[in-house]
Amino acid sequence: MPTPFANEPFTDFSNPENKHAMEQALADVAAQFGAEYPIVLGGEHITCEKKIRSINPSKTSEVVGSAQKGTPDMVETALDAAEKAFETWRFTPATERADLCFNLAAEMRRRKYELASWMVYEIGKSWAEADGDVAEAIDFCEFYGREALRWGEVRQSLPYPNETNVLVYQPLGVGAAIPPWNFPLAILAGVTIGPAAAGNTMILKPASDTPVIAAKFMEMVEKVGFPKGVINFLTGSGSDVGETLITNPRVRFVNFTGSREVGLHIVEESGKTRPGQKWIKRVAVEMGGKDATIVDAEADIDAAVEGVAMAAFGFQGQKCSACSRAIVDAKLYDAFLEKLVARVKTITVGPVNDPENFMGPVSSKAAFDKIRSYIEIGKKEGRLMCGGEGNDKTGLFIQPTVIADVAPTARIAQEEIFGPVLAVIKAQDFDDAISIFNGTDYGLTGGVFTKSRDKIERAKRECYCGNFYVNRKITGALVAVQPFGGYNMSGTCSKAGGHDYMGLFLEAKAVCERIS
Ligand code: NAP
Ligand code: MG
């Protein structure tokens, strides 16, 4: 039996040894820029004519590496490989599947600094954010390995005369894993390894902004010895390869994390029964948010300022859990705003290979343009307090932006921007704050700062979201500690990193044997 699950510790970069190790890894990784990575189907390495180039958003002239631009016809090849592997993987003992997950975690642990460095360059994560991403990926492998053992246990049903009755859980079949770019190792590992640990075989289509760290994941999967075809790696564009994958009747389930637009499209398409399809396709879709923090009249104002600033601007506001609305009681609105703006002005922005920069670039030129256009909308909808500027000359940098006096129904208070833009909204009282909190289509994360026990209890009950935090920042959910996933248009509430998750990719079989 494995030791009880424990979260992977974060790296302390104030320790000179660790700092040096990271500097060394960044240099080693930079020396590998420009390499090309294959598609891997059934263990076979495949190259294509067209490539996906991965760009360093801190320095857009730099190509981190390139991946293959797979074509829709390759989906059938991937399905052949995954279906074939399923025939043995489904009956492989849970202990063997779990051991592979643990070995994968160990490999990630050995290569921690290297993996973090790839994310610093490929998607603009600061050292701490990149390190956190690797730690979460390790956690998913360790946690789902243990979950495979737990779900693999045969459960005795209620005793009945002359029969044995048991309940077992069996895997579903071939699944599509479709992760986003914003946790390009952690979520990718989670959506793939969770179902695979349960005995399913997977076709992984990574996000096109982060194919290199995805390829590193696949390298490790092969290295630790997952049987060929259990995890298939198919890079390519979402709109053709992704679309072909999710609409294919041979795909048993789709495990998606990404935007609301694509997530809802997957739900809709998965609801159609296509010729040759024998099952009702299962879908888990985890989508966006318009996450809020309530700052109550009885809040510790300094703690609230810090919590809101960290959750709004960590990783440039590009976390699904990011605080994009601060709902502040009128009684301390002005004081809070003044302190918040002063704090945000101290945030450093620049290339993230330099650890002095707290904020790095946004993910892509398309994201840069979209965020800038939301800032323009925001300037009309409220009062620009700081930030607002962007500069894409060498990298894709946008200053942390605070817009105050925003109406709860304004576009920047309702639509997910997915960048460093915070809307500050005034609430008349605590009732008003809760009603503003709940007044969007989403329900992912949220929080409250208050010293009042009554208000804490009310907020815990009434704020409608999957992950709620009291008197701390609303980002940084830990595997097994805060199982993650939200309500309404934030998704199907899969609770990644929780004990219910694996059940989404299993079906129960009741087996009865007559014994006399
Ligand atoms: P996205 O644009 O929806 O893309 C997600 C994935 O879907 C990518 O791999 C993408 O491939 C693929 N895709 C695109 N169109 C597709 C189609 N028609 N069929 C199948 N696959 C398709 O999202 P993103 O920009 O990568 O990620 C940001 C979003 O993710 C935000 O909304 C954020 O809130 C959300 N998110 C949610 C959670 C959560 O747990 N709730 C966690 C993290 C992020 P390409 O890259 O090739 O287009
Ligand atoms: Mg990139």
Side-chain angles (χ1 to χ4, degrees):
M1 280 307 277
T3 54
F5 173 83
N7 295 106
E8 181 68 15
F10 298 129
T11 306
D12 174 7
F13 290 112
S14 70
N15 173 334
E17 235 170 78
N18 296 344
K19 182 162 187 271
H20 182 255
M22 187 66 187
E23 284 162 351
Q24 188 60 50
L26 283 162
D28 291 347
V29 161
Q32 299 169 57
F33 279 179
E36 193 183 308
Y37 301 91
I39 282 169
V40 185
L41 306 180
E44 208 161 310
H45 288 206
I46 302 166
T47 54
C48 302
E49 207 178 300
K50 291 193 178 152
K51 313 292 173 190
I52 299 171
R53 281 183 346 142
S54 175
I55 301 297
N56 176 359
S58 290
K59 190 177 173 192
T60 48
S61 58
E62 213 156 61
V63 178
V64 175
S66 55
Q68 312 303 315
K69 197 165 180 15
T71 49
D73 56 290
M74 298 175 93
V75 167
E76 293 293 332
T77 315
L79 281 160
D80 290 343
E83 281 177 356
K84 181 158 175 261
F86 183 62
E87 289 317 314
T88 44
W89 185 245
R90 61 193 291 205
F91 299 125
T92 300
T95 47
E96 275 178 47
R97 286 186 263 119
D99 278 343
L100 286 165
C101 297
F102 302 146
N103 293 343
L104 183 57
E107 180 68 11
M108 289 180 183
R109 209 173 276 121
R110 275 193 289 278
R111 293 171 62 173
K112 215 175 201 184
Y113 291 105
E114 181 215 331
L115 296 169
S117 296
W118 283 111
M119 287 188 273
V120 167
Y121 289 123
E122 187 170 45
I123 201 62
K125 291 211 170 201
S126 68
W127 291 20
E129 294 290 348
D131 177 65
D133 198 313
V134 183
E136 190 177 357
I138 293 170
D139 282 355
F140 278 134
C141 295
E142 293 282 358
F143 183 76
Y144 293 140
R146 285 164 176 78
E147 283 296 284
L149 298 173
R150 194 174 66 84
W151 284 88
E153 280 163 21
V154 173
R155 292 153 209 228
Q156 301 296 328
S157 301
L158 186 71
Y160 195 80
N162 305 323
E163 291 178 5
T164 56
N165 285 283
V166 294
L167 192 76
V168 294
Y169 287 93
Q170 58 188 22
L172 299 173
V174 176
I178 308 186
W181 52 262
N182 75 328
F183 282 86
L185 184 60
I187 294 183
L188 176 141
V191 297
T192 309
I193 293 300
N200 300 286
T201 55
M202 303 302 291
I203 300 171
L204 164 61
K205 196 225 77 73
S208 296
D209 284 330
T210 49
V212 172
I213 184 67
K216 294 291 158 190
F217 169 82
M218 193 59 204
E219 270 175 25
M220 294 186 286
V221 162
E222 291 192 282
K223 174 153 187 233
V224 304
F226 275 85
K228 290 179 183 11
V230 168
I231 294 169
N232 301 278
F233 182 69
L234 180 54
T235 41
S237 117
S239 55
D240 60 18
V241 171
E243 182 72 15
T244 307
L245 185 58
I246 58 123
T247 53
N248 193 297
R250 293 165 70 188
V251 171
R252 179 68 179 82
F253 65 93
V254 181
N255 196 15
F256 169 87
T257 302
S259 65
R260 168 178 176 171
E261 186 194 359
V262 177
L264 291 182
H265 172 70
I266 290 174
V267 168
E268 219 170 275
E269 287 300 323
S270 301
K272 293 179 187 158
T273 308
R274 295 186 162 80
Q277 186 174 324
K278 287 199 282 191
W279 45 65
I280 300 163
K281 207 176 265 189
R282 277 206 208 164
V283 283
V285 296
E286 296 311 312
M287 313 189 290
K290 195 68 204 177
D291 313 312
T293 305
I294 295 176
V295 181
D296 172 54
E298 295 175 79
D300 171 336
I301 196 162
D302 294 318
V305 163
E306 195 58 23
V308 167
M310 290 300 104
F313 301 114
F315 190 35
Q316 298 79 265
Q318 301 172 121
K319 299 183 190 184
C320 54
S321 54
C323 176
S324 58
R325 298 183 296 152
I327 303 167
V328 186
D329 190 289
K331 288 185 210 65
L332 46 62
Y333 186 85
D334 292 335
F336 173 81
L337 199 55
E338 191 182 325
K339 285 195 166 191
L340 177 74
V341 170
R343 174 67 182 89
V344 173
K345 282 182 175 163
T346 68
I347 291 177
T348 45
V349 184
V352 274
N353 49 323
D354 178 353
E356 295 305 314
N357 289 321
F358 174 79
M359 260 178 61
V362 299
S363 59
S364 66
K365 183 65 168 71
F368 180 88
D369 291 341
K370 181 180 155 200
I371 298 162
R372 295 292 308 281
S373 74
Y374 267 113
I375 291 174
E376 290 311 309
I377 295 167
K379 283 181 186 166
K380 296 195 189 90
E381 289 183 327
R383 181 158 55 106
L384 180 70
M385 303 299 297
C386 62
E389 310 94 40
N391 180 343
D392 63 351
K393 276 200 203 75
T394 54
L396 304 167
F397 300 105
I398 296 180
Q399 293 299 316
T401 299
V402 176
I403 299 174
D405 308 346
V406 177
T409 53
R411 283 187 64 191
I412 65 156
Q414 291 289 325
E415 297 171 20
E416 189 186 51
I417 302 172
F418 221 56
V421 183
L422 173 71
V424 184
I425 303 168
K426 190 185 282 183
Q428 290 321 310
D429 52 26
F430 200 64
D431 284 336
D432 191 32
I434 289 185
S435 126
I436 295 168
F437 183 101
N438 290 332
T440 76
D441 294 346
Y442 295 102
L444 191 48
T445 72
V448 66
F449 280 89
T450 181
K451 291 178 199 154
S452 152
R453 178 45 53 191
D454 285 352
K455 286 179 188 158
I456 289 173
E457 294 309 326
R458 257 198 79 191
K460 286 203 275 192
R461 272 196 313 271
E462 293 177 31
C463 291
Y464 192 69
C465 63
N467 288 72
F468 192 72
Y469 301 87
V470 179
N471 290 326
R472 55 152 281 184
K473 66 173 180 170
I474 66 171
T475 52
L478 289 171
V479 169
V481 180
Q482 293 112 2
F484 195 80
Y487 307 152
N488 289 347
M489 285 303 161
S490 292
T492 48
C493 197
S494 306
K495 289 298 181 206
H499 289 304
D500 303 314
Y501 188 73
M502 198 161 271
L504 301 171
F505 315 106
L506 290 164
E507 55 195 1
K509 184 173 192 174
V511 181
C512 166
E513 182 176 344
R514 190 172 166 80
I515 50 178
S516 66

